[in-house]
Amino acid sequence: MTAQALSPTLSDDELALIDAYWRAANYLSVGQIYLLDNPLLREPLAPEHVKPRLLGHWGTTPGLNLVYAHLNRVIRQRDLNLIYITGPGHGGPGLVANAYLEGTYAEVYSAISEDVDGLRKLFRQFSFPGGIPSHVAAETPGSIHEGGELGYALVHAFGAAFDNPDLVVACVVGDGEAETGPLAASWHSNKFLNPVTDGAVMPILHLNGYKIANPTVLSRIPQDELESLFYGYGYRPITVAGDDPANVHQQLAIAFDEAFDQIGAIQRAAPLDGEDGRPLWPMIILRTPKGWTGPEKVDGKKVEGTWRAHQVPLSETRSNPEHMAQLEEWMRSYRPEELFDDDGALRPELRALAPTGARRMSANPHANGGLLLRDLDLPDFADYAVAVDEPAGDTAEATKVLGTFLRDVIARNPDRFRLMGPDETASNRLSPVLEVTDKAWLAETSEDDENLGPEGRVMEVLSEHLCQGWLEGYLLTGRHGLFNCYEAFVHIVDSMLNQHAKWLSSSSQLPWRRPIASLNYLLTSHVWRQDHNGASHQDPGFIDHVANKRPEVVRVYLPPDANTLLSVADHCLRSKHYINVIVAGKQPALNYLSMDEAIAHCARGVGIWEWAGSTGGGQERSDPGSGLGEPDVVLACAGDIPTLETVAAADILRKRLPDLKVRVVNVVDIMRLQPDSEHPHGLSNREFNSLFTEDKPIIFAYHGYPWLIHRLTYRHANHNQLHVRGFKERGTTTTPFDMVMLNDLDRFHLVMDVIDRVEGLGARAAGLRQEMADARLAARRYTREHGEDDPAISGWTWEPGDGSAD
Amino acid sequence: MTAQALSPTLSDDELALIDAYWRAANYLSVGQIYLLDNPLLREPLAPEHVKPRLLGHWGTTPGLNLVYAHLNRVIRQRDLNLIYITGPGHGGPGLVANAYLEGTYAEVYSAISEDVDGLRKLFRQFSFPGGIPSHVAAETPGSIHEGGELGYALVHAFGAAFDNPDLVVACVVGDGEAETGPLAASWHSNKFLNPVTDGAVMPILHLNGYKIANPTVLSRIPQDELESLFYGYGYRPITVAGDDPANVHQQLAIAFDEAFDQIGAIQRAAPLDGEDGRPLWPMIILRTPKGWTGPEKVDGKKVEGTWRAHQVPLSETRSNPEHMAQLEEWMRSYRPEELFDDDGALRPELRALAPTGARRMSANPHANGGLLLRDLDLPDFADYAVAVDEPAGDTAEATKVLGTFLRDVIARNPDRFRLMGPDETASNRLSPVLEVTDKAWLAETSEDDENLGPEGRVMEVLSEHLCQGWLEGYLLTGRHGLFNCYEAFVHIVDSMLNQHAKWLSSSSQLPWRRPIASLNYLLTSHVWRQDHNGASHQDPGFIDHVANKRPEVVRVYLPPDANTLLSVADHCLRSKHYINVIVAGKQPALNYLSMDEAIAHCARGVGIWEWAGSTGGGQERSDPGSGLGEPDVVLACAGDIPTLETVAAADILRKRLPDLKVRVVNVVDIMRLQPDSEHPHGLSNREFNSLFTEDKPIIFAYHGYPWLIHRLTYRHANHNQLHVRGFKERGTTTTPFDMVMLNDLDRFHLVMDVIDRVEGLGARAAGLRQEMADARLAARRYTREHGEDDPAISGWTWEPGDGSAD
């Protein structure tokens, strides 16, 4: 339907006022892009008033300002608790202008006062060295979404709405952004939004028709296809279209009235009666010209209503008098003298159009989520420990154990914790959580379904983008969560992670922004246990990607067993403003540490496992604390499978070369490997040397690409003696042990590496080396013959004795 | 509409035959998942006939086989040139089964013969160590799409159809995959498909209702929403639904007849009359049970038609007699004795249902694109050179120069080269290409549009996923292309790159697969020149991501100027089976090398720039070739901006510390930095030392994250003396020179680094160091005052004299 058809809803006075407010926002937007001085044009515009470099985006801005002005109206009228997500975040001047107009800007940045001097500073700082970014960045009050990389506006909006029943999240989706994959999938988020316990999302698809240089797809399909598309997505579209401001003001006011009436009706009709109760939420299609109210033509070419309005319509405003005159005419067309008083403050009748206090979109605490953050009520993770009487004797499924802890985290925090996963939560063995909650589901159900429900705390959709985006929106508005994902496919959100990391870095520099809960990843179904799905599912590179982000923001943990996973997970859920990546296996795997040992080990992040090493005495050690001096070789490991292979290799060495002093070092927190100058968790050189020695060979078995370990450690003295084994892109559909053999990470190869690198081991070692090479061949032969690993290898456990410490 | 309503199209005999063919494919699929031996069940099933580890996916397979059988029918009936893209690529057993049934498998892999012994091997090899992957991998004849990571089936299909007017690309989209962002956006590819010059895509949305553990969104919305969605996407949906094979066979036959009639009509009606001629292409919605024809219930739980059928419905077939009996009953339900003759060959009346020769989907040369690859007709890139009389004197916009070359590449290769870009081709200054072609556009047009047309060779859509996916599909079917992208946002396709790299690696191991054209990236609007868009647009990490892939597949080039960019681009367009990443700026930047010098430099990939260095003579060098012995310090650089800062730093050193011997080394091909043991382009230790010295300090100015250079070089002897400057995530909206200063990559800081690291430079150097620190402060102050860089810095050019070589 089209709002146009209805009778006017705004009186002439109301319309004039709302139009004036819009003009004020547009004026301030243009001023920010162009002016250094003379902010209210109280003298004729001169070249020195204009910025030498013009950086900013005009095209989307009048539309953003229009929506803002109208949302102010409905917020006041209905006393709405509403935040505004700006998909076209490059329309930064508009959002800054509005935050300024409603007084928030001056409250947050006192130098930008509500007078002529403040206006001058407001204009000057925009896109100016030492000033503010050109986008709706963390620096912009009221924003949780920069929108620099396009695609995530709507998914952030839904994330913000979950578990916020009183909140409305208005979300402008640009028609450029609407072409991206993540945005195209995001519309289906309405199948996961519960009208009873969640808030509402009010999407506004802004068809201004153009991207940087091209028309947009959705602006160039017939209206019936467009409306069908959104009906097909499960919405009731309301179209507003035009280029006459007065007419569009009326249409948009009617459209918002109608949309918010519908939202109210949907929420009043709740709770859902029956299973087919998913409502059709309203959405608005707003079709207005790009760069509306800006220069119609420049240098003879049409600008308003075309892609040429995207950035700076007039580019030679300092050097070309015609451009300068056009700029002045453009700015004066907003009649600033009617909008601002003598002191430069917004006139009171206009100021009265904005909501007040926390109802202002720029001051809504949901857009500064740390203000609302409440710690999780966490059970004692130690209560979920597996009993470990001796190291490497029994197995557990680490993620399943974690699932029992998460189950109780969910039960204790029904309003502020969600678990996201792309259809993999059960596959990742976190299914204990389903004992206390459902998977969120508002679409149709069938009698065969299990664990689906409108209030589910687990969110599953086959889109890593949606999982990540929902969680980001949820965290940014002050809640907590965990994203569990197959390790290989988390690369799908590499770029989203970049943007979130940048947001965390920038926002941590702003004293008025409060820290939010960390973004926690559990990467499982990892590279070493995707032997069944083959090469496409094998990629450990997300850690490398994360390690490129700023050290104050990123943390990476590789707990080797169930108890260490519990300890690490507890730590991550308590932390704030980080990106925590936890990599842990889901298959049955050996337990090494009791809970107490796990806590101590995780607190250090890296440590010597005395029980696994050998003191070189050639016989049993009576005192595990003794004889632990300088080893001949260090076997280091990070990750559950590398740890298994390392402990097994050390066991072979202990038994077969009893005179060799082997130290086993396990690394949980790989940021510990960096120097302390590079990362807050980094080791000092002294600490590093005390673990890894100053000059002994280090054979490091690592979960991922081996060079990451080199990149982290190259500043340490003993780096030259470091030899790393890891994943080198050798994988296919095969058995678990064949996977490690393909990449030379297996226990036999680690023993060979030791023999190759420790000098003077003699004939016995040479014989062992040959034996190891033979063992590899035999294992390979067994696998190819039987289609599974030799149980002697896959069922290996560590046994005390034969030179061991016990 | 629903096909069900129409009258039968298959005779009883036809129906019986097509059903038998389907049963044969299903039988072979189950056999692959389960059996080691007894392939035709000619003896009772025994535990030793069953694989010990069951790896494979049954759930999607019967649907894939059903579609395959029916496509065979229409291929024969209409003599279609058709390939099959399997979105649910984990249905590998089905596609392998069909390739086997139509004889291709035995042609490609002669050991897998068409008899009982071949069947035994076919079954055994599947998901077996030393055998074949569980997915529709490169090893599967007829595939260009593994489908391990979901989301790219449809975009690959469109990529394959472009410029292949005689080809039909059938594409099964799983309803799981349909939830992903890239797939949700891919439907709009029809706005870019020209019915005259491109082929057709025949999408089949397979709603089997479930993912691994959840129902799918599209299977749980009302039929009217579903049909509206696809009408909104611009398709005419035809629904086929049911769980009775005979009924579904009839429906599907009717649906395909109708769909291919429509495709024919659309293609006959071409050429388009008028601008609104975009046709509504048909698509099929196929709703059949997951795991159809498999076990209905297992251990009392419903399996067929639920998520429990996703992988292996019966999991204890070796140990649990009930499971084994159920497996046998299941397999016998396909009546293998009716399908295969005594020798184990498919019965002739069934074999006759498959097309023959290259019409077989498994043998269509388009699915082995290297067979069809024709080299590009390339103009001589040297003809596009910018004149360079002296180094660093004039500027050019490197990508604009490249645009003139690409313009003529496009003109000369109208049928096999496309340029992809997410709305950035003009922004990236490649607009000369628009002199000879349009941007592909089949949606509505307006009179203001420029350069849009149905036959455009440039493809612009605001989705990096679509650009990448279209190009992959285009390359995999034997054509060429280039993807130009903002550097920061190419991370959006990190995960797609992973999968393509894996495909290239695997396929290069298969002698029957022919090499395809390289996947070429031009990354521009790069980190150092996104000062206007701010932090969200600044990320050079794609290179790091690419460097993790197998060395035989990846190449990364950082040409420092316009002529080197031309040379590198020509090389990349000629290459095969690589992923080439080229990073180059679009802003005016200094030219360093004449075309001849550029060619020589790029051929080496790394070289000493004698003119930029200083010989330490304290006066003019009369002979540039002389006195170039061991330097005191090496200034190395990679990337246009680091090269600029390095050359400027060397210039300062040459003038101010004339006794210091400075060597400037520029790196174009960063894989050269690795040892030759690690990468085919790697330098030997001797070569490395001859460039970088054995023991002198190296100050390396690098385009991206500095640690990549450490990771590449750590095995070289002089690594300990290497100090790298690069991007360390310090960026915002500011000026270009402020960007380099924020990251300590500026010329002044590089001079300070030299002074800090070269011993014994004395008081003059100490003074210079202070001067450099002051210069940084002054530059910063200028920028903050004026809003632009000091022209003395931004306009710097290199002048001979004062100790220079000229």
Side-chain angles (χ1 to χ4, degrees), chain A residues 489-664:
Chain A
F489 300 147
V490 73
H491 272 300
I492 291 171
V493 300
D494 275 2
S495 211
M496 297 181 80
L497 173 121
N498 288 347
Q499 299 301 331
H500 192 73
K502 285 171 189 289
W503 183 276
L504 292 179
S505 293
S506 311
S507 60
S508 69
Q509 305 300 309
L510 300 167
W512 60 273
R513 287 244 180 223
R514 305 292 305 146
I516 61 171
S518 298
L519 171 53
N520 299 308
Y521 292 94
L522 174 68
L523 306 186
T524 181
S525 303
H526 63 53
V527 57
W528 302 109
R529 289 297 184 266
Q530 279 292 338
D531 44 278
H532 59 302
N533 275 315
S536 67
H537 286 52
Q538 297 160 354
D539 187 301
F542 191 66
I543 302 174
D544 302 61
H545 182 68
V546 168
N548 273 347
K549 307 297 112 188
R550 284 205 194 179
E552 64 268 27
V553 166
V554 294
R555 306 286 183 266
V556 179
Y557 301 97
L558 294 150
D561 69 359
N563 286 339
T564 48
L565 174 59
L566 282 170
S567 174
V568 163
D570 177 79
H571 174 77
C572 293
L573 292 180
R574 291 177 191 277
S575 72
K576 289 184 189 172
H577 230 65
Y578 295 145
I579 291 169
N580 295 310
V581 179
I582 308 171
V583 185
K586 68 182 183 184
Q587 306 287 354
L590 291 174
N591 302 316
Y592 304 104
L593 304 185
S594 70
M595 197 73 242
D596 283 348
E597 291 163 342
I599 293 171
H601 186 52
C602 292
R604 284 190 300 264
V606 52
I608 299 172
W609 282 5
E610 298 183 4
W611 58 268
S614 51
T615 51
Q619 49 193 306
E620 284 200 22
R621 284 173 286 181
S622 56
D623 175 4
S626 74
L628 295 171
E630 191 78 350
D632 301 315
V633 62
V634 175
L635 287 186
C637 48
D640 51 6
I641 300 303
T643 298
L644 167 64
E645 295 306 317
T646 296
V647 169
D651 191 51
I652 295 171
L653 290 168
R654 185 170 56 106
K655 291 171 176 161
R656 302 298 306 283
L657 297 179
D659 294 332
L660 186 71
K661 285 176 279 184
V662 177
R663 175 183 292 174
V664 173

Side-chain angles (χ1 to χ4, degrees), chain B residues 451-784:
Chain B
N451 305 119
L452 299 183
E455 298 189 16
R457 319 300 308 153
V458 177
M459 306 205 63
E460 297 242 86
V461 62
L462 210 162
S463 166
E464 287 77 3
H465 291 116
L466 296 197
C467 291
Q468 170 90 12
W470 286 340
L471 182 54
E472 288 177 357
Y474 198 68
L475 299 175
L476 287 161
T477 47
R479 284 78 61 76
H480 306 259
L482 178 79
F483 177 12
N484 79 97
C485 193
Y486 279 22
E487 183 184 38
F489 300 147
V490 75
H491 272 300
I492 290 171
V493 299
D494 275 3
S495 212
M496 297 181 78
L497 174 122
N498 288 347
Q499 299 300 331
H500 191 72
K502 285 172 188 288
W503 184 276
L504 292 178
S505 293
S506 311
S507 59
S508 68
Q509 306 301 310
L510 300 168
W512 60 273
R513 287 243 180 225
R514 306 292 304 145
I516 60 171
S518 297
L519 171 53
N520 299 307
Y521 292 94
L522 173 68
L523 306 185
T524 180
S525 304
H526 64 51
V527 56
W528 302 110
R529 288 296 183 268
Q530 280 291 341
D531 43 279
H532 59 301
N533 274 317
S536 66
H537 285 53
Q538 297 161 354
D539 187 301
F542 190 66
I543 301 174
D544 303 61
H545 181 67
V546 168
N548 273 348
K549 306 298 113 185
R550 283 206 196 177
E552 64 268 26
V553 166
V554 293
R555 306 286 182 265
V556 179
Y557 301 98
L558 294 150
D561 68 359
N563 287 339
T564 48
L565 174 58
L566 282 170
S567 174
V568 162
D570 177 78
H571 174 77
C572 293
L573 292 181
R574 290 176 191 278
S575 73
K576 289 184 189 168
H577 230 66
Y578 294 145
I579 292 169
N580 295 310
V581 179
I582 309 172
V583 185
K586 67 182 185 185
Q587 305 288 353
L590 291 175
N591 302 316
Y592 304 104
L593 303 185
S594 71
M595 197 73 243
D596 284 347
E597 292 164 342
I599 293 170
H601 186 53
C602 292
R604 283 191 300 263
V606 51
I608 300 172
W609 282 6
E610 299 183 3
W611 59 268
S614 51
T615 52
Q619 50 193 307
E620 287 199 18
R621 282 173 289 182
S622 54
D623 174 2
S626 73
L628 294 173
E630 189 77 351
D632 301 316
V633 63
V634 176
L635 287 186
C637 48
D640 51 6
I641 300 304
T643 298
L644 167 64
E645 295 306 317
T646 295
V647 168
D651 192 52
I652 295 170
L653 289 168
R654 184 169 57 104
K655 290 170 177 161
R656 303 297 308 284
L657 298 179
D659 294 331
L660 186 71
K661 286 176 279 185
V662 177
R663 174 184 292 173
V664 173
V665 175
N666 181 267
V667 184
V668 175
D669 170 359
I670 66 161
M671 294 300 163
R672 295 288 273 162
L673 294 174
Q674 293 192 71
D676 51 3
S677 58
E678 299 299 305
H679 193 283
H681 288 193
L683 293 172
S684 69
N685 280 320
R686 196 185 50 74
E687 290 170 317
F688 188 88
N689 292 344
S690 74
L691 289 165
F692 293 98
T693 79
E694 282 181 51
D695 55 2
K696 296 300 185 296
I698 310 165
I699 312 295
F700 199 125
Y702 171 57
H703 172 84
Y705 293 112
W707 32 86
L708 180 69
I709 302 301
H710 288 290
R711 162 248 200 277
L712 295 172
T713 58
Y714 69 83
R715 290 169 193 256
H716 288 301
N718 196 18
H719 175 254
N720 283 342
Q721 283 272 47
L722 175 69
H723 307 280
V724 188
R725 295 291 173 188
F727 184 66
K728 38 185 186 177
E729 286 283 333
R730 306 287 153 178
T732 182
T733 307
T734 185
T735 65
F737 195 71
D738 201 40
M739 277 296 298
V740 289
M741 283 204 296
L742 285 170
N743 291 280
D744 298 339
L745 184 75
D746 58 285
R747 58 199 67 176
F748 306 130
H749 208 288
L750 295 177
V751 170
M752 290 161 65
D753 287 338
V754 168
I755 294 170
D756 290 346
R757 262 125 195 155
V758 179
E759 286 176 17
L761 285 182
R764 190 169 170 186
L768 179 61
R769 194 189 187 290
Q770 185 57 49
E771 222 177 288
M772 294 292 101
D774 292 345
R776 280 167 56 86
L777 282 176
R780 191 179 159 86
R781 207 175 303 117
Y782 186 99
T783 300
R784 270 157 187 63

Side-chain angles (χ1 to χ4, degrees), chain A residues 449-506:
Chain A
D449 292 338
E450 288 182 358
N451 305 121
L452 299 182
E455 299 189 14
R457 319 302 306 154
V458 176
M459 306 204 63
E460 297 242 86
V461 62
L462 210 162
S463 166
E464 287 77 1
H465 290 116
L466 295 197
C467 291
Q468 169 92 12
W470 286 341
L471 182 54
E472 288 177 357
Y474 198 68
L475 299 175
L476 286 160
T477 47
R479 283 79 60 77
H480 306 259
L482 177 78
F483 177 12
N484 79 96
C485 192
Y486 279 22
E487 183 185 37
F489 300 147
V490 73
H491 272 300
I492 291 171
V493 300
D494 275 2
S495 211
M496 297 181 80
L497 173 121
N498 288 347
Q499 299 301 331
H500 192 73
K502 285 171 189 289
W503 183 276
L504 292 179
S505 293
S506 311

Side-chain angles (χ1 to χ4, degrees), chain A residues 53 179 211-212 220 224 231 302 308 423 449-450 462 494 502 531 538 548 550 707 729, chain B residues 53 179 211-212 220 224 231 308 423 448-450 462 494 502 531 538 548 550 707 729:
Chain A
R53 289 181 86 218
E179 293 176 12
K211 296 167 285 196
I212 303 180
R220 297 296 182 89
D224 72 323
Y231 177 71
K302 189 173 164 188
R308 296 191 192 92
D423 192 35
D449 292 338
E450 288 182 358
L462 210 162
D494 275 2
K502 285 171 189 289
D531 44 278
Q538 297 160 354
N548 273 347
R550 284 205 194 179
W707 32 86
E729 285 284 334
Chain B
R53 288 180 87 218
E179 294 176 12
K211 297 167 286 195
I212 304 180
R220 298 296 182 90
D224 73 322
Y231 178 72
R308 296 190 192 93
D423 193 36
D448 297 322
D449 292 339
E450 288 181 359
L462 210 162
D494 275 3
K502 285 172 188 288
D531 43 279
Q538 297 161 354
N548 273 348
R550 283 206 196 177
W707 32 86
E729 286 283 333

